[in-house]
Amino acid sequence: MSEPRLRAKELDAADGLAAQRAEFLLDEGGGGSGGEAVYLDGNSLGALPAAVPGRVEDVVRRQWGELRIRSWTEEGWWTAPERIGDRIAPLVGAAAGQIVVGDSTSVNVFKAVVGAVRLARSADTAAGAAGPARDEIVVDATTFPTDGYIAESAARMTGCTLRPVPPSGIPDALGDRTAAVLLNHVDYRTGRLHDLPALTAAVHAAGAYVVWDLCHSAGALPVGLDEHGVDLAVGCTYKYLNGGPGAPAYLYVRAELQDRFDSPLPGWNSHAEPFGMRPEYAPAPGALRGRVGTPDILSMLALEAALDVWDGGVTIEAVRAKSLALTDFFLECVEAYVPEGRVECLTPGPHGERGSQIALRCPDAGDVMKRLIERGVVGDFRHPDVLRFGFTPLYVGFADVERAARVLAEVLAEVLAEPGT
């Protein structure tokens, strides 16, 4: 047995989170011609937690099928958005009462960015600021495209100019015209982890408000929203939180800002008297202001069941430690198996700059990933030349990592040996 395989066995034997793997339904024998399946695409869609199918069946057959409308009160459907938000809160370093679950990430980005602009302007008005109006939204120039689209629309709606800036240039780009800054915690292409504490402090020093997109960090590493004074944050729940395809996203509004948060999407669900059916809008107190319309109960309660995997003492700190160990070991295995120069790692080496994925560049990445998937090693491809491998510590083991690197080396050798390559 090769040295990396022996090392994988040792690491798996010492893994304090190894038992969590049983909490998921994994295709252990679905690896095609190469053995067991290795699922390294949890940064796109998390695996299915074992508790979800039975819970969803109960929601459909009993709660909807038998209790019907009584379930809004008897089964807690009405309070699900804030109840589930409170379960997510510890995973992102937030106290209860600051997160509401519902809508998509894109919709929540829109609420948060427009809300941040309004917060900045209302703060200046309250302080009697004599300087120029805050009319600029700064956005991470490397952001996921949708965030950029939403920020541009929010800028039009609020009469702001949109200014794309790389995260490293954010502190120097801020000024007295900056109203809101939208940033990704982890770069979706490269897995680079940006410095949330320092960037948040820089935004605040300029008198602006920050919105963080946590899609690629929540459930994989500590975030510290409360500790670092983050204003607003959004995130999806179908990646490292394993909520399922299309699972509802969430919106965080810091407690101190909730009474001034002015959502651009006021709906009956966020009204102070939702069943009063009044023509005039009056916002509900607290995080409830982030609600809009009727909650997506089926997907929301599937997410609630998925969050059970965090019960029983699993901490985000332990998950982060294993995430770093998995990504370190993957890079070691790639170095051991793949000829030098065949791939280029785009993910930073220092732990403080790395999320929970590894991005490798190679010229034939699309074909390589297709062949990897055929052999049961599932990652994903990002145009034009990036292989992405996501490491979800709750169900990925070190033997998975070793096998993925070994099969990658085999596929790369095949592709290189083919005529015309």
Side-chain angles (χ1 to χ4, degrees):
M1 187 179 292
S2 68
E3 180 61 30
R5 290 199 212 185
L6 287 172
R7 178 73 175 135
K9 288 187 67 174
E10 294 172 355
L11 290 168
D12 278 329
D15 178 14
L17 292 177
Q20 295 303 120
R21 188 180 181 106
E23 300 293 320
F24 294 84
L25 299 179
L26 299 169
D27 186 14
E28 301 287 8
S33 61
E36 291 186 353
V38 177
Y39 188 66
L40 300 180
D41 206 8
N43 53 323
S44 288
L45 177 65
L48 174 63
V52 171
R55 197 79 58 86
V56 170
E57 183 176 11
D58 178 70
V59 172
V60 172
R61 292 188 179 277
R62 183 181 65 84
Q63 297 181 32
W64 179 15
E66 297 175 15
L67 296 179
R68 293 179 285 276
I69 201 165
R70 290 162 52 195
S71 289
W72 283 105
T73 53
E74 294 180 22
E75 295 298 326
W77 286 5
W78 183 255
T79 58
E82 56 268 27
R83 181 179 73 243
I84 301 171
D86 284 347
R87 293 191 66 182
I88 293 172
L91 304 179
V92 292
Q98 298 177 100
I99 294 179
V100 64
V101 174
D103 305 312
S104 66
T105 305
S106 301
V107 171
N108 283 316
V109 169
F110 182 73
K111 296 179 204 171
V113 173
V114 174
V117 172
R118 292 175 175 177
L119 284 167
R121 289 175 174 172
S122 68
D124 276 3
T125 299
R134 292 192 180 269
D135 58 0
E136 181 178 83
I137 297 173
V138 174
V139 64
D140 177 354
T142 62
T143 190
F144 187 75
T146 292
D147 283 17
Y149 307 154
I150 296 293
E152 196 276 333
S153 179
R156 291 201 312 270
M157 178 178 178
T158 58
C160 287
T161 299
L162 184 67
R163 187 178 179 189
V165 179
S168 61
I170 293 290
D172 293 334
L174 304 174
D176 56 6
R177 303 191 77 101
T178 309
V181 180
L182 172 61
L183 295 166
N184 283 198
H185 197 193
V186 174
D187 187 294
Y188 80 99
R189 290 186 188 87
T190 67
R192 175 180 290 276
L193 173 65
H194 297 303
D195 191 340
L196 181 146
L199 289 171
T200 298
V203 173
H204 288 167
Y209 288 74
V210 68
V211 179
W212 282 97
D213 183 329
L214 308 178
C215 285
H216 287 268
S217 57
L221 53 92
V223 177
L225 293 179
D226 287 354
E227 176 186 358
H228 303 301
V230 169
D231 302 310
L232 302 111
V234 301
C236 67
T237 61
Y238 50 79
K239 300 182 191 296
Y240 297 109
L241 297 180
N242 309 296
Y250 57 90
L251 170 67
Y252 164 91
V253 181
R254 182 157 53 91
E256 295 86 346
L257 301 177
Q258 288 174 358
D259 63 346
R260 293 195 292 118
F261 177 67
D262 182 8
S263 173
L265 295 174
W268 77 282
N269 253 239
S270 64
H271 197 285
E273 297 180 70
F275 294 98
M277 302 302 167
R278 303 184 185 283
E280 303 84 10
Y281 180 72
L288 291 177
R289 292 188 179 202
R291 292 175 66 153
V292 183
T294 305
D296 301 320
I297 291 299
L298 296 183
S299 59
M300 190 167 293
L301 297 187
L303 165 63
E304 186 172 33
L307 292 171
D308 287 353
V309 302
W310 293 93
D311 295 343
V314 177
T315 67
I316 196 66
E317 290 77 17
V319 166
R320 176 58 169 167
K322 183 177 175 182
S323 165
L324 292 171
L326 288 168
T327 49
D328 279 345
F329 186 57
F330 181 69
L331 291 174
E332 291 173 18
C333 291
V334 169
E335 184 178 2
Y337 291 142
V338 176
E340 185 177 355
R342 186 65 179 90
V343 296
E344 175 193 359
C345 183
L346 301 179
T347 307
H351 286 178
E353 299 175 18
R354 185 195 306 168
S356 199
Q357 74 179 54
I358 295 295
L360 302 177
R361 173 180 285 156
C362 67
D364 33 25
D367 183 37
V368 169
M369 184 53 68
K370 179 175 181 294
R371 297 185 191 208
L372 282 171
I373 293 171
E374 289 171 353
R375 286 166 168 79
V377 175
V378 181
D380 69 9
F381 160 69
R382 283 293 177 265
H383 184 81
D385 56 3
V386 176
L387 303 169
R388 292 196 318 171
F389 301 94
F391 298 84
T392 305
L394 295 180
Y395 56 78
V396 173
F398 293 91
D400 296 324
V401 170
E402 184 277 332
R403 172 171 155 69
R406 180 161 36 88
V407 175
L408 173 62
E410 294 168 1
V411 168
L412 290 170
E414 282 180 12
V415 172
L416 193 62
E418 290 178 352
T421 302

